Amino acid sequence: MKKIIMIILVIILICGFIYIKNYSKDKPENNTKKQVKEVVKNDLVSYNKNLKVLNNKLVNSKGENIVLRGVSTHGIQWYRKFANEHNMKILRDEWGANVFRIAMYTSEGGYLSNNSIKNDVKEIVDIAIDLDMYVIIDWHILSDGNPMDHIEEAKIFFSEMSKNYKNTPNIIYEICNEPNGNITWSNNVKPYAEEITKIIRKNSNNIIIVGTTNWCQNLEDALYNPLEDNNTMYALHFYSGTHGYMRDKIKNIIDKIPIFVSEWGTGEADGNGQINIKESDEWLSVLKENNISWVNWSLSDKAETTAILKPNTDEYSLDDENLTESGKYIKKIMQSYK
Ligand code: DCB
């Protein structure tokens, strides 16, 4: 009899222990989830799921408008360290970001000379997935302005990425950052986009962003000679201190093609120069009125105007005291969307 009572007591003790352990484990998790919901409402992937283009606008799986906003890394061959979970969580919960862009340069020491950089891309993508954020994989051509020059490498890269992230609603494929130089839409960028789209579409129907010529300033290209794929958006890039003159032209076509501002900066076209708050305000009001998604350049501490962080900032610190003038402005603007 005594033995039986002992056994029952031991069982009760074990059950109690397991219950307490699980209860205390669950509680903070639930709280975090609640916190996220309150902060970013229904802006994250688990609510919106697969994105698509409808009537030239970005919508969620239910067909509701969604506006993505967030920041881009600088080139991850230089500034990889800032793209960590700590910072991305702060961007999500305190700034209100629901997208993060990974600028994987192809030249300047990027993928073409060191393709193991794709492992950094995957690591950052996986963080974004854990954080329930959308994430842009950016094939960041720049000095190599003709996307056709490295189409074979791009095919391999996007084939691998889209296979790896099959059925992952978080991913957005930006297939050529800023085509530029002596090239045209119809001879170079469009045929490139068609080839890469074919590759990605074997695995994924997620949004594809295609850069337009002249560093993503010639959106007429796409207006007059659009791609057939119906989940493709066209990149508009602007730097507030330089490209104000484009705004009227953009306003005229903003509802006629699907536009995604996958990169913009508060300074001048070289990423440095004067910060221009007035022009930034003007641009952002156009974007807001038209439900256009945007990503700001850049999450780095490079000594340049468009960097969000002051030089020598610790990789785990987005505290206000480390933010540049641009960083403070972007934080305020992003918070105004919440
Ligand atoms: C784009 C690029 C981006 C570049 C920024 C600012 O380039 F997508 O990579 O970032 O806009 O120029 C800058 C960094 C610098 C770095 C440089 C080269 O901020 O720290 O040294 O890249 O890696 C643009 C955009 C527009 C124009 C020209 C460029 N434009 N461009 O209109 O003339 O030549 O880089």
Side-chain angles (χ1 to χ4, degrees):
M1 189 60 185
K2 253 190 191 168
K3 247 190 189 166
I4 294 173
I5 290 175
M6 277 295 278
I7 289 169
I8 291 173
L9 270 177
V10 167
I11 291 173
I12 290 173
L13 266 172
I14 291 172
C15 289
F17 181 69
I18 291 172
Y19 174 79
I20 287 168
K21 213 172 153 229
N22 283 343
Y23 180 74
S24 56
K25 205 170 72 192
D26 272 4
K27 223 180 160 191
E29 265 175 25
N30 286 341
N31 280 347
T32 318
K33 272 195 187 138
K34 256 187 220 145
Q35 250 173 27
V36 171
K37 273 270 154 59
E38 272 164 31
V39 176
V40 291
K41 294 184 211 125
N42 293 331
D43 280 334
L44 298 175
V45 180
S46 50
Y47 176 82
N48 292 287
K49 305 198 172 72
N50 287 293
L51 302 180
K52 56 189 182 213
V53 175
L54 184 69
N55 300 327
N56 295 327
K57 297 292 168 196
L58 186 63
V59 300
N60 66 16
S61 61
K62 298 174 192 146
E64 301 162 341
N65 280 331
I66 175 166
V67 178
L68 303 184
R69 59 278 167 190
V71 300
S72 173
T73 65
H74 198 293
I76 53 169
Q77 75 273 42
W78 303 304
Y79 296 97
R80 158 75 181 89
K81 65 175 186 176
F82 293 107
N84 57 57
E85 185 174 356
H86 173 88
N87 288 351
M88 287 162 68
K89 192 166 187 297
I90 289 175
L91 288 169
R92 183 192 70 177
D93 294 346
E94 292 174 24
W95 297 40
N98 54 359
V99 67
F100 190 78
R101 178 183 189 240
I102 307 167
M104 187 193 73
Y105 272 66
T106 40
S107 57
E108 297 187 56
Y111 182 88
L112 296 172
S113 57
N114 169 24
N115 72 15
S116 71
I117 202 168
K118 70 185 177 193
N119 298 324
D120 291 292
V121 174
K122 288 181 190 163
E123 277 172 30
I124 304 168
V125 167
D126 291 341
I127 297 172
I129 294 171
D130 276 350
L131 291 174
D132 204 20
M133 295 170 84
Y134 290 96
V135 60
I136 301 174
I137 300 179
D138 161 33
W139 179 258
H140 200 85
I141 63 165
L142 188 59
S143 57
D144 45 340
N146 181 355
M148 275 298 189
D149 285 350
H150 300 291
I151 187 169
E152 292 311 319
E153 292 91 335
K155 279 184 188 169
I156 294 169
F157 176 76
F158 283 110
S159 170
E160 180 176 339
M161 289 295 152
S162 58
K163 258 186 218 141
N164 210 35
Y165 296 109
K166 222 176 185 154
N167 305 321
T168 310
N170 310 61
I171 316 292
I172 296 172
Y173 298 96
E174 183 170 6
I175 62 177
C176 50
N177 168 50
E178 290 186 352
N180 66 83
N182 191 18
I183 54 163
T184 65
W185 171 258
S186 44
N187 290 338
N188 309 90
V189 186
K190 192 180 178 208
Y192 168 86
E194 285 166 343
E195 287 287 301
I196 302 297
T197 300
K198 243 189 267 165
I199 301 271
I200 294 174
R201 289 291 176 252
K202 284 186 190 158
N203 304 311
S204 164
N205 202 33
N206 286 13
I207 297 290
I208 294 176
I209 302 175
V210 180
T212 48
T213 57
N214 203 27
W215 298 280
C216 294
Q217 294 159 33
N218 285 353
L219 281 90
E220 319 69 292
D221 283 348
L223 178 66
Y224 297 123
N225 189 3
L227 287 152
E228 262 175 36
D229 181 79
N230 52 22
N231 267 347
T232 285
M233 304 186 82
Y234 302 98
L236 162 67
H237 290 182
F238 61 84
Y239 281 79
S240 299
T242 310
H243 300 125
Y245 60 87
M246 288 200 299
R247 211 165 36 249
D248 284 340
K249 157 184 112 167
I250 296 297
K251 279 188 196 163
N252 279 329
I253 59 171
I254 208 156
D255 279 326
K256 302 193 176 98
I257 50 171
I259 294 179
F260 197 117
V261 177
S262 53
E263 189 186 301
W264 76 276
T266 56
E268 295 173 20
D270 62 356
N272 207 359
Q274 288 289 315
I275 186 168
N276 197 323
I277 297 294
K278 191 174 159 287
E279 278 291 324
S280 300
D281 283 344
E282 297 270 345
W283 274 112
L284 286 166
S285 79
V286 173
L287 302 188
K288 203 164 198 174
E289 265 167 40
N290 292 283
N291 284 332
I292 305 281
S293 298
W294 55 264
V295 174
N296 179 258
W297 183 264
S298 74
L299 178 59
S300 83
D301 69 343
K302 185 162 178 172
E304 62 181 11
T305 310
T306 53
I308 280 172
L309 299 166
K310 291 179 184 163
N312 303 317
T313 294
D314 182 86
E315 67 198 84
Y316 298 110
S317 180
L318 292 187
D319 298 345
D320 284 348
E321 64 190 41
N322 296 321
L323 300 181
T324 58
E325 201 184 338
S326 189
K328 285 185 192 136
Y329 176 76
I330 294 303
K331 178 175 178 181
K332 196 181 74 197
I333 293 292
M334 281 187 20
Q335 287 177 332
S336 77
Y337 274 75
K338 288 200 295 187

